[in-house]
Amino acid sequence: MSLFGLGSRNQKTFRPKKNSQPGSKGAQLQKHIETTLGNGNLKEVIRLPPGEDCNEWLAVNTVDFFNQVNILYGTLTEFCTPTSCPVMNAGPVYSYKWADGVTIKEPIKVSAPKYVEYLMDWIEVQLDDESIFPQRLGAPFPPNFPDVVKTIFKRLFRVYAHIYHSHFEKILSLKEEAHLNTCFKHFVLFVWEFQLIDKRQLDPLHDLVESILRQ
């Protein structure tokens, strides 16, 4: 089974969020994303459509990237286990502890799969909270919305960093690197366009990020 084949995914890990409701602004923006993706120009895909609200654009894309990373990691659960990956890291230099500020206030060291489980649960809570990600047309976004989005993207990057550092050989052996690279390129261009991640946070994949940004 292909690494990114849907038949191999872990159902517990793979939890795609529903797209925006039909007729909503989010649904219109979602359609715009799908249309522009078809032309293969990722720099055009990530650009804020003329006249659109930036927060709406960030919200729709946050759901999309959450789903994308969910699919990618969900197919790796067979290889990413507490035994193989006892620490959430990106190579020997970078490691990440988990805290959500609510149930886990002090950062704790956990395995990579446990970190990703905590992360996806936490993101789902944010996406389901109407006071943060409003669903009603015209409903206001909270003042801290950009900060919430930045935290989500910063943590999603860590999943990409772990995949590249710990599981890329498996991906290469299955000849699925092109799909992963395209997803990551889309991710990097988006976070760079909207300044969602501090450049220092991207250091675990510095060379790859720089090559994407130079293209």
Side-chain angles (χ1 to χ4, degrees), residues 57-68:
W57 186 239
L58 290 176
V60 170
N61 279 277
T62 299
V63 175
D64 270 5
F65 283 111
F66 168 75
N67 286 339
Q68 197 170 89

Side-chain angles (χ1 to χ4, degrees), residues 100-118:
D100 58 17
V102 181
T103 57
I104 302 176
K105 296 185 179 182
E106 293 296 325
I108 59 173
K109 184 183 294 185
V110 293
S111 68
K114 176 56 71 173
Y115 184 98
V116 176
E117 180 184 337
Y118 279 140

Side-chain angles (χ1 to χ4, degrees), residues 38-151:
N39 67 21
N41 185 347
L42 290 176
K43 290 185 177 180
E44 182 180 338
V45 174
I46 55 96
R47 196 171 298 128
L48 177 66
E52 297 296 348
D53 178 71
C54 187
N55 283 341
E56 291 276 8
W57 186 239
L58 290 176
V60 170
N61 279 277
T62 299
V63 175
D64 270 5
F65 283 111
F66 168 75
N67 286 339
Q68 197 170 89
V69 175
N70 238 326
I71 293 173
L72 290 172
Y73 183 79
T75 59
L76 281 170
T77 53
E78 176 184 349
F79 313 107
C80 186
T81 68
T83 301
S84 66
C85 304
V87 176
M88 178 60 176
N89 62 9
V93 177
Y94 302 95
S95 62
Y96 306 107
K97 295 180 179 180
W98 176 258
D100 58 17
V102 181
T103 57
I104 302 176
K105 296 185 179 182
E106 293 296 325
I108 59 173
K109 184 183 294 185
V110 293
S111 68
K114 176 56 71 173
Y115 184 98
V116 176
E117 180 184 337
Y118 279 140
L119 172 58
M120 298 308 175
D121 286 344
W122 176 79
I123 294 177
E124 278 195 311
V125 170
Q126 312 309 305
L127 297 181
D128 289 339
D129 188 339
E130 293 261 347
S131 70
I132 302 175
F133 283 82
Q135 292 294 313
R136 292 184 297 107
L137 190 62
F141 287 86
N144 70 330
F145 181 71
D147 293 331
V148 174
V149 170
K150 286 178 181 179
T151 302

